[in-house]
Amino acid sequence: MLTLFRNFFSPPRHMILLVFATWIALSLAEKRTERHGVNKEYLNNITFYGLIAFVIGGRISFVLQNLPAFIKSPADIVSINTDIFDPLGALAAAFIVALVYGQRRGLFLWPTLDALTPFFAVITIGMGLSHLAAGTAFGKETDLIWGIDLWNATRHPTQIYETLASLLIFSLLWFKKHDPRPGILFLTYTALTAASQLFIQAFRGNSTLIFNDLRQEQLIAWIILALCFVLFEYRFQKQ
């Protein structure tokens, strides 16, 4: 079954999973806009412009970081190669565009983030499935019976761990009783996602190591988790 899934959604078809997840994510987010006091049209626009900025910004950021290579071959800038992409640059571009749009439309930050939380939660599920299909974000070698054969070894199915964790987080938040305090829903999602990454990254086989044996992704997750607790305290005090 897993082999059939990976064969059917092998690159570049794994991108279909992200597109499908985006469509579901936006549909579910629309259902919760009213409870957070966010205009549905504005929510659609901020996600649309953010996604466009994400795609274009990720490509531009990668090109700028590797400018000498692209000067020699300018046509590669518009290549369909999905590896020509910088995730951090993409996130920065999407954040800036969404922030500018939100300010122009008078959207309040925390209610908007709460309204977008189902969108983020479903996207992370899609990312896990996409990683599984493409064989990326793979795990370390293991002898456990639930290991999967990938890249000439039996490995931890970290992509499945990621998908299940994201699905659990989405379910907990979707069926959670509505909290009228703005920002709590988004911060809960962010904290749970960061905590899940602390666990999952321990089994990753391609993590970036810094300071000899410290995993960069876990360090980032710890920082995000700590920041969430600080913001929780700030939101509670403000309320």
Side-chain angles (χ1 to χ4, degrees):
M1 186 69 177
L2 180 58
T3 302
L4 180 63
F5 172 82
R6 295 193 65 244
N7 288 338
F8 186 80
F9 289 108
S10 60
R13 291 192 298 274
H14 69 292
M15 298 301 294
I16 296 174
L17 294 168
L18 286 177
V19 173
F20 186 59
T22 302
W23 174 66
I24 295 177
L26 186 55
S27 298
L28 292 177
E30 287 180 347
K31 295 180 181 297
R32 295 291 175 88
T33 54
E34 291 186 2
R35 72 163 53 179
H36 300 295
V38 178
N39 183 282
K40 185 181 296 186
E41 180 182 354
Y42 292 168
L43 183 78
N44 286 330
N45 289 341
I46 202 171
T47 53
F48 176 75
Y49 296 141
L51 287 171
I52 294 297
F54 182 85
V55 173
I56 297 177
R59 175 60 63 95
I60 292 176
S61 178
F62 186 93
V63 170
L64 291 177
Q65 293 179 51
N66 301 273
L67 195 56
F70 287 98
I71 290 177
K72 296 178 181 178
S73 182
D76 289 343
I77 296 176
V78 293
S79 168
I80 61 172
N81 184 359
T82 55
D83 291 331
I84 305 177
F85 191 79
D86 174 31
L88 290 179
L91 287 172
F95 176 77
I96 292 172
V97 169
L99 186 63
V100 171
Y101 178 84
Q103 287 182 335
R104 289 187 174 182
R105 294 299 183 184
L107 296 175
F108 293 104
L109 177 62
W110 292 113
T112 303
L113 289 175
D114 284 343
L116 287 170
T117 295
F119 178 84
F120 298 141
V122 175
I123 288 294
T124 53
I125 297 173
M127 288 178 62
L129 292 173
S130 178
H131 290 158
L132 180 61
T136 53
F138 54 85
K140 297 188 296 187
E141 295 185 26
T142 181
D143 295 327
L144 295 173
I145 58 174
W146 59 79
I148 60 174
D149 294 327
L150 186 63
W151 307 129
N152 302 316
T154 301
R155 301 180 179 276
H156 277 282
T158 47
Q159 306 97 328
I160 297 178
Y161 299 163
E162 179 184 8
T163 303
L164 292 177
S166 299
L167 184 60
L168 177 60
I169 292 170
F170 167 77
S171 300
L172 289 173
L173 297 179
W174 184 259
F175 296 106
K176 178 180 178 294
K177 184 178 179 181
H178 175 58
D179 193 323
R181 294 169 294 188
I184 299 303
L185 181 65
F186 172 75
L187 289 174
T188 302
Y189 159 75
T190 306
L192 290 175
T193 301
S196 71
Q197 285 301 310
L198 289 174
F199 170 79
I200 294 169
Q201 291 297 328
F203 301 100
R204 282 277 297 274
N206 62 340
S207 297
T208 303
L209 297 179
I210 57 177
F211 306 117
N212 294 327
D213 58 354
L214 180 63
R215 295 176 184 270
Q216 176 178 290
E217 293 83 356
Q218 286 184 316
L219 177 60
I220 294 173
W222 275 118
I223 293 173
I224 293 175
L225 192 58
L227 182 59
C228 284
F229 287 137
V230 172
L231 291 173
F232 269 127
E233 182 69 18
Y234 169 76
R235 296 305 301 164
F236 287 144
Q237 289 181 354
K238 192 167 185 179
Q239 290 300 319

